[in-house]
Amino acid sequence: DMLDPERLIQCPLVKHHRIRARRFPYHLVKCKESNPEIAKKLATCPFNARHLVPWADLSDHIMKCNDKAFMEQDVVSRSCEPPQEQLNNGSTWQAPPCDEDWETELLEGSESTFVW
């Protein structure tokens, strides 16, 4: 199951590393620091930072990446929503009047001390 946080994922930097999915992002950071020469040879997918592929294969990966569909769907759904300024201009909501007067309360209660 792809959503199982306990499933094991192979590290793209060191092939014999097998990491639980829930720890994978943390492992990538540490593994990149520990293996800078290998990390330089890998590119990060623009759709999912967990995808590290050789620079030569990046364009092919971008075309086939499963996470690309999620990004495209998000862009389409955002383009169907009205712009934020239209929402703000059409609003008739007003804040209720404030009955608090902190200065008066401060003068009236200057003798009392705060108690829990």
Side-chain angles (χ1 to χ4, degrees), residues 5 8-9 11 17 27 29 35 40 42 44-45 48 51-52 62 78 90 99-100 105 109 113:
L8 293 175
I9 300 174
C11 175
H17 288 176
H27 174 81
V29 171
N35 302 288
K40 277 193 257 182
L42 299 176
T44 303
C45 170
N48 187 335
H51 297 169
L52 298 178
I62 289 172
R78 286 178 188 228
D99 297 331
E100 294 180 354
E105 290 177 14
T113 57

Side-chain angles (χ1 to χ4, degrees), residues 44-105:
T44 303
C45 170
F47 305 114
N48 187 335
R50 296 176 186 179
H51 297 169
L52 298 178
V53 295
W55 279 99
D57 299 336
L58 182 61
S59 59
D60 186 49
H61 173 82
I62 289 172
M63 296 299 290
K64 297 176 182 175
C65 182
N66 293 333
D67 293 319
K68 180 180 176 182
F70 294 118
M71 295 294 286
E72 289 173 342
Q73 184 179 9
D74 187 45
V75 169
V76 169
S77 66
R78 286 178 188 228
S79 67
C80 295
E81 296 173 1
Q84 192 64 31
E85 65 234 14
Q86 286 181 355
L87 292 174
N88 290 341
N89 292 340
S91 177
T92 58
W93 182 86
Q94 291 183 346
C98 181
D99 297 331
E100 294 180 354
D101 185 359
W102 291 2
E103 286 77 21
T104 305
E105 290 177 14

